[in-house]
Amino acid sequence: MHPHPTSRPPSRFLKRGLAAGLLLTQSAFTLSAQTAPAATPTTEEAVELNTYVVTGIRFGIETAIATKKESVSVVESIAAEDIGKLPDISIAESIARLPGLAAQRVAGRAQVISVRGLSPDFATTLLNGREQVSTGDNRGVEFDQYPSELINAVTVYKTPDARLVGQGLSGTLDLQTVKPLAMSRRGVSINARLEVNSLDDLGSDSESTGNRLSAAYIDQFADNTIGIAVGYAHLESPIASQEFGTYGWNTNGRPGVAAGTNATDGLKIFARSGTNTRDGVIGVAEWRPTDAFTSVVDVYYSRFQREETARGLEVHIGGYNGGIAPGLNYTATQVSSGTLVGGSATGVYPLARNNYNDRVDKLTAFGWNNQYRMDDWIITGDVSYSKAEREELNMETQAQYRNAAGEPVLDFVTYSLATDDFPRASLGLNYNDPARIQIGPTIYGAGYGKVPMVEDELTSYKLAASRGLGRFFDNVEFGINFADRQKDKDQPEAGLSVSGFRPLASNLILERTKLDFANTSSTLSWDVPTVLGSVFDPFRPSSTAAAYLIQKAWRVDEEITTYFTQFNIDTEVGNFRMRGNIGVQVKDVDQSSTSNFYDNTAPAGQQVKRNRDGKSYTNVLPSANLVFDVTESSVLRVAAAKQMARPRLDQMKSAFEFNVSTGSGLPSGSGGNPRLDPWEATAFDVSYEKYFGDNKGYFAIAGFYKDLDTYIYDQTDKNYDFSRFTAGNPLALTSTGNFSQPLNGNGGRLRGAEFSLSIPFSLFSSTLDGFGIVASHSVNSSSITVDNTNLGSAITLPGLSRQVSNFTVYYEKAGFSARISHRNRSDFIGEITGFGADRELRYVKGEGITDAQVGYEFRDGPLAGIGVVLQAYNLTDEVYQTYQVTKERLVEYQKYGRTYLLGVNYKF
């Protein structure tokens, strides 16, 4: 069993919110979770196209276009093609096709989203208008936690308004579930998919097949005054990748290598396999006894497990313990741009490594929304609760080649990183020999383990009112939102120990793992959980055993009160209509962190101490969105706003390490900063949109400019006040010293242009009816550079790709549908979660992902309602690559294979 994070009792805000919600219902008051886009057709109210009804691909496209045109903000959206049928296998894949958005692949899947060239930290994700917590270390939501089958639409707000509580600086992504009373009749949908990955034979227990099952039921009762919607989605998806990596690029002198040449200290070749398993459930109950009152309750729960094993070889070449390994000698065969990309080396230390990861995420979301209308007034109220839990076990175990006398044996390696295909490496010894490959205290120890745990809770409630004015301002809205969030992170760790070197018993050895994809011989494999219990000494992870562990455990609390007032505009100006809003949002923030810190000046056994710190501040965020309907088909939008994003949660930790130099008496330390101010920006947007073909197609060109007033950097405060910790300390001769921590610094400019186009070819000729394209291209640039990162040099903004493009061509008619899509982004700095959930930044090579789909739905006869579909993802088997500064210094080269899905749908 994994250790469980300590749970806390329900927030006082939840108790107050439930009471407020009951009072609202009894008094027939109303509530609205968030600003919603203008009403768009539901699946059952599909757009009429001449004499037949549009469904499927074209329905999803036309619904999204209608949402974009009618919104008063600059938005992008996607809509379900049918009940339980978003256009891709994951929400992130669909979102990544929107103009100005890009996905970062994690383990082969689109997982996190960058909006307008900013990292996921700057965006906020909502579910039915309510901010969501995350299972990661920070605020960024991992979208593979949300089954696409249970989401009806996604709206991305690129410009905020005062009513949008929980808004992000780069954008706000709102995931929306179905409203059962918006449907005209009962709806049932059942979907089944068989999934196959093109990579197989990746070692013992590896699978290349999986499945997806989902069902949705929507109905209305009591003369359409009560509606329910329930859905279930199950996923079993294979994890498969072939990986080649390096580490420790440097210019340390090496025998046989020219001085100043950059070379790697080691190589890693792994085959990774496992299974992603997810079960998600959603339920919506809607009650509308009169036209004046509506009450909606929605709940969501998912459990996501990722269990995987990485088996392979790690070849230590040089630089061990700061020196050159004995007997090390190079023969350089290829040098490119001052980097050794091919050669051979003798005297190396290969290790057989088997790593195991088991991660379980649980998400729970609850919302209760009431709405009441009376004359010119609308009173609103909302109660919501969101909780995320993560339990993880990361274990690495390793073995070394030993001769008959039990002594370690050095080897030689020949490798080439400069290839058009997979990098290559070959060794001289047999690493599949159970008599010679033994577990024990290698140069990197016998192994290491981590048990990361996260618990994230957010409770909020909202009261708002709207009153019609009937003048220049159509109405005014005002309200208050209380939110209480607490995030706990713990990461106990420990090294694995074993008495001497031990060969593995035959019952612990698994089928060998083939590494021929990298021209490397097979390696010995074993079942890590079983070996842990039978070979190693007991594993005793700790969060306080060392100073570096202290900083990995923390708690952050936020209490945020948001006040907002907004005047909405809908009037005639000259010969055209003007819509929009002008408003202000005021946020009172009380943030704090309670964590341990390590004081190495204290007596043994007393070094771990408690620290609580934080601050309060107020942000005033004015905003304006103006929409000019120049003609019935032309829209001009302008927007200006003060935007903010709260600091990363892991940067706000109060955990740190404290030290006083015995020589100088100067205090010093490193850690987090609970007193951080948020990121802030002044933003301007302009967009021109031309709609045609009765709003079935459009062209848009948009530009944005963000002036970030501040940015958060890792810096050293040379005059940090340590008086809280130096008082009474005889070693400290002063109370000020150096403290390395995240600090607010100067910001900079971010600008971009976005072009998007959606055209049904029937506009050109009736013979082309059913064909169409959807395309977009974005260009981004920034003056901001970030120093003091793990990359060792000034870098551009994490998440910023200068070029992002998407292109889809489709055909749909008479039940037949086909589509091929391609998305592309240029190089960027990505946030990578390494072994044990440690965060670091990497240069990520640009990539292009191509997907395709073909399907047929029977419209009549005994098979009416049944559809079949074949989908293919990553058709070109695009490689995922990261590098250090220049592309010659390869860090990761990973292939995930192609994914095929064959499925059947049934609806009635």
Side-chain angles (χ1 to χ4, degrees):
M1 293 290 291
H2 299 173
H4 288 268
T6 302
S7 59
R8 66 181 182 128
S11 162
R12 62 184 182 279
F13 284 130
L14 177 59
K15 297 176 182 177
R16 295 177 187 171
L18 289 171
L22 287 169
L23 178 61
L24 283 170
T25 303
Q26 293 169 357
S27 305
F29 283 115
T30 113
L31 163 113
S32 170
Q34 267 299 354
T35 305
T40 55
T42 67
T43 302
E44 295 297 331
E45 297 164 344
V47 183
E48 292 287 344
L49 223 191
N50 296 328
T51 59
Y52 59 92
V53 176
V54 174
T55 59
I57 296 173
R58 286 193 285 173
F59 173 76
I61 291 172
E62 292 176 20
T63 301
I65 291 175
T67 299
K68 182 177 182 69
K69 184 180 181 184
E70 295 304 318
S71 174
V72 295
S73 300
V74 178
V75 304
E76 310 292 346
S77 70
I78 53 176
E81 299 172 358
D82 211 326
I83 299 172
K85 188 183 177 185
L86 271 181
D88 288 285
I89 60 174
S90 77
I91 296 173
E93 300 278 358
S94 296
I95 294 174
R97 303 195 194 288
L98 296 174
L101 280 72
Q104 179 178 329
R105 286 197 292 171
V106 176
R109 302 174 185 273
Q111 186 185 75
V112 294
I113 298 294
S114 296
V115 181
R116 288 184 155 178
L118 287 168
S119 74
D121 300 327
F122 291 88
T124 300
T125 300
L126 315 176
L127 178 63
N128 289 329
R130 307 177 184 103
E131 185 174 356
Q132 295 299 289
V133 293
S134 74
T135 56
D137 290 359
N138 292 289
R139 305 181 192 276
V141 165
E142 297 172 337
F143 286 95
D144 54 6
Q145 303 283 349
Y146 296 89
S148 59
E149 298 92 338
L150 303 183
I151 300 300
N152 191 55
V154 181
T155 300
V156 180
Y157 295 88
K158 292 180 175 178
T159 61
D161 62 40
R163 296 174 299 179
L164 192 61
V165 177
Q167 59 188 251
L169 188 149
S170 62
T172 308
L173 298 86
D174 189 10
L175 313 181
Q176 299 148 13
T177 59
V178 69
K179 294 290 184 65
L181 291 183
M183 310 293 287
S184 62
R185 61 180 179 85
R186 176 187 302 166
V188 178
S189 174
I190 301 173
N191 301 287
R193 300 280 193 278
L194 171 66
E195 179 177 347
V196 179
N197 189 280
S198 63
L199 296 181
D200 57 9
D201 198 16
L202 294 177
S204 178
D205 301 325
S206 66
E207 296 285 347
S208 59
T209 61
N211 64 81
R212 297 165 181 260
L213 302 170
S214 67
Y217 170 73
I218 303 170
D219 211 344
Q220 306 80 30
F221 307 93
D223 295 327
N224 284 335
T225 61
I226 297 175
I228 63 169
V230 293
Y232 168 73
H234 172 76
L235 164 76
E236 287 184 30
S237 180
I239 298 170
S241 65
Q242 299 169 338
E243 304 175 359
F244 192 107
T246 69
Y247 59 91
W249 285 97
N250 57 69
T251 55
N252 297 340
R254 292 171 170 83
V257 179
T261 301
N262 229 301
T264 180
D265 278 342
L267 310 173
K268 297 182 291 185
I269 306 100
F270 284 97
R272 187 179 301 272
S273 63
T275 304
N276 288 317
T277 304
R278 182 190 62 210
D279 289 282
V281 180
I282 200 161
V284 182
E286 188 173 8
W287 180 44
R288 189 170 59 205
T290 69
D291 291 339
F293 178 71
T294 304
S295 182
V296 182
V297 174
D298 59 83
V299 294
Y300 170 74
Y301 173 80
S302 73
R303 182 185 186 275
F304 190 105
Q305 181 175 13
R306 178 181 178 87
E307 186 175 18
E308 63 179 352
T309 303
R311 301 184 174 104
L313 295 169
E314 180 169 323
V315 184
H316 181 72
I317 299 178
Y320 176 58
N321 282 343
I324 300 299
L328 179 68
N329 190 68
Y330 277 85
T331 300
T333 59
Q334 188 173 1
V335 176
S336 176
S337 301
T339 300
L340 180 65
V341 294
S344 60
T346 58
V348 300
Y349 292 91
L351 301 177
R353 306 188 77 171
N354 279 219
N355 299 339
Y356 175 79
N357 174 256
D358 186 16
R359 170 174 168 170
V360 177
D361 297 334
K362 297 178 183 178
L363 280 176
T364 304
F366 164 84
W368 184 18
N369 176 292
N370 298 276
Q371 183 181 86
Y372 182 74
R373 299 172 179 267
M374 51 183 181
D375 297 328
D376 291 332
W377 284 90
I378 301 175
I379 310 298
T380 66
D382 191 72
V383 180
S384 65
Y385 174 74
S386 177
K387 182 177 182 179
E389 299 172 276
R390 176 175 120 221
E391 298 179 5
E392 192 169 359
L393 176 66
N394 286 281
M395 305 299 295
E396 65 172 22
T397 58
Q398 45 210 22
Q400 197 168 9
Y401 194 100
R402 315 288 291 183
N403 62 20
E407 300 170 338
V409 179
L410 301 181
D411 200 355
F412 69 87
V413 62
T414 300
Y415 67 94
S416 175
L417 308 180
T419 69
D420 293 331
D421 198 2
F422 221 96
R424 299 188 298 270
S426 59
L427 299 166
L429 298 174
N430 177 14
Y431 291 89
N432 189 41
D433 184 351
R436 294 288 175 259
I437 305 302
Q438 301 180 14
I439 286 179
T442 70
I443 58 171
Y444 287 151
Y448 199 78
K450 304 181 182 183
V451 191
M453 295 176 285
V454 166
E455 185 174 284
D456 194 357
E457 285 187 279
L458 173 62
T459 306
S460 66
Y461 59 94
K462 174 182 174 183
L463 275 173
S466 167
R467 188 185 190 282
L469 298 178
R471 300 179 181 86
F472 177 81
F473 294 110
D474 186 59
N475 61 66
V476 61
E477 299 181 63
F478 52 91
I480 183 173
N481 188 88
F482 297 96
D484 177 24
R485 184 173 190 172
Q486 176 178 296
K487 186 148 193 166
D488 293 88
K489 168 71 185 295
D490 195 8
Q491 189 163 304
E493 303 180 9
L496 298 179
S497 61
V498 61
S499 301
F501 280 89
R502 297 185 184 181
L504 288 170
S506 59
N507 64 308
L508 300 177
I509 297 174
L510 302 176
E511 175 189 351
R512 64 176 181 168
T513 299
K514 298 178 182 178
L515 304 176
D516 50 359
F517 54 83
N519 199 39
T520 306
S521 58
S522 301
T523 181
L524 193 69
S525 302
W526 54 89
D527 181 78
V528 174
T530 303
V531 168
L532 286 173
S534 60
V535 176
F536 290 94
D537 297 335
F539 175 54
R540 296 187 175 91
S542 171
S543 300
T544 58
Y548 76 93
L549 295 175
I550 293 292
Q551 295 198 36
K552 297 186 178 185
W554 44 266
R555 169 180 292 182
V556 172
D557 291 274
E558 290 180 329
E559 295 182 2
I560 302 173
T561 305
T562 303
Y563 309 90
F564 64 89
T565 300
Q566 179 169 296
F567 291 89
N568 297 310
I569 303 168
D570 193 345
T571 187
E572 298 291 331
V573 177
N575 295 324
F576 53 86
R577 179 188 177 197
M578 182 174 75
R579 300 174 285 135
N581 52 66
I582 298 175
V584 64
Q585 192 177 97
V586 178
K587 287 184 176 292
D588 286 336
V589 179
D590 183 2
Q591 65 186 37
S592 62
S593 175
T594 305
S595 311
N596 291 329
F597 75 96
Y598 192 88
D599 182 356
N600 72 349
T601 68
Q606 303 178 33
Q607 293 99 333
V608 180
K609 300 179 179 179
R610 203 70 169 160
N611 180 43
R612 179 179 174 85
D613 197 5
K615 69 177 295 186
S616 299
Y617 58 86
T618 299
N619 285 103
V620 179
L621 307 173
S623 62
N625 291 275
L626 296 178
V627 183
F628 301 93
D629 294 325
V630 181
T631 68
E632 289 187 1
S633 61
S634 299
V635 175
L636 176 66
R637 304 177 190 273
V638 292
K642 189 76 171 181
Q643 298 177 315
M644 64 162 282
R646 298 192 298 280
R648 293 174 54 94
L649 289 164
D650 63 346
Q651 292 177 326
M652 292 169 57
K653 64 186 179 185
S654 59
F656 69 96
E657 178 184 354
F658 171 66
N659 177 53
V660 175
S661 171
T662 56
S664 64
L666 294 175
S668 62
S670 63
N673 185 0
R675 301 187 183 187
L676 281 172
D677 289 321
W679 287 292
E680 294 184 30
T682 302
F684 301 94
D685 283 79
V686 60
S687 174
Y688 174 77
E689 301 153 15
K690 174 67 175 178
Y691 296 86
F692 37 80
D694 293 330
N695 298 330
K696 296 177 178 62
Y698 82 98
F699 166 77
I701 179 170
F704 69 90
Y705 175 88
K706 295 182 187 292
D707 187 358
L708 273 72
D709 304 324
T710 181
Y711 197 83
I712 297 173
Y713 305 89
D714 288 331
Q715 302 176 61
T716 298
D717 183 349
K718 297 182 179 180
N719 295 295
Y720 187 85
D721 183 4
F722 286 98
S723 57
R724 287 189 299 155
F725 313 106
T726 57
N729 190 323
L731 296 178
L733 302 181
T734 178
S735 61
T736 60
N738 293 341
F739 190 83
S740 299
Q741 62 177 165
L743 292 170
N744 293 98
N746 294 329
R749 296 177 300 278
L750 176 69
R751 58 173 64 90
E754 299 164 352
F755 309 87
S756 53
L757 176 70
S758 178
I759 301 178
F761 289 174
S762 59
L763 297 178
F764 306 124
S765 171
S766 60
T767 60
L768 297 176
D769 182 43
F771 289 97
I773 62 168
V774 179
S776 68
H777 183 75
S778 303
V779 181
N780 305 302
S781 65
S782 173
S783 65
I784 303 172
T785 57
V786 183
D787 293 309
N788 300 322
T789 70
N790 61 278
L791 295 174
S793 61
I795 61 171
T796 187
L797 279 177
L800 178 68
S801 286
R802 295 190 179 275
Q803 308 278 340
V804 177
S805 61
N806 293 279
F807 182 83
T808 296
V809 58
Y810 63 87
Y811 175 78
E812 184 177 48
K813 194 171 184 180
F816 179 81
S817 63
R819 169 175 47 203
I820 185 165
S821 301
H822 179 82
R823 71 172 191 269
N824 188 83
R825 69 181 302 186
S826 58
D827 293 10
F828 64 100
I829 304 292
E831 178 183 330
I832 306 298
T833 301
F835 174 73
D838 294 324
R839 174 184 184 265
E840 62 182 55
L841 298 174
R842 297 261 184 91
Y843 290 90
V844 182
K845 187 177 179 180
E847 59 184 17
I849 309 296
T850 302
D851 307 324
Q853 173 181 313
V854 61
Y856 182 78
E857 181 180 326
F858 296 91
R859 299 293 180 85
D860 49 34
L863 298 180
I866 296 178
V868 292
V869 62
L870 174 64
Q871 297 169 293
Y873 288 82
N874 193 24
L875 273 173
T876 59
D877 196 8
E878 182 75 356
V879 174
Y880 174 82
Q881 295 185 68
T882 67
Y883 57 93
Q884 185 192 76
V885 184
T886 69
K887 290 185 174 64
E888 286 79 12
R889 300 175 205 168
L890 175 73
V891 176
E892 293 173 300
Y893 189 102
Q894 299 179 357
K895 277 194 172 185
Y896 303 117
R898 303 171 180 86
T899 298
Y900 303 97
L901 293 100
L902 176 63
V904 59
N905 313 315
Y906 179 52
K907 66 175 184 178
F908 59 93

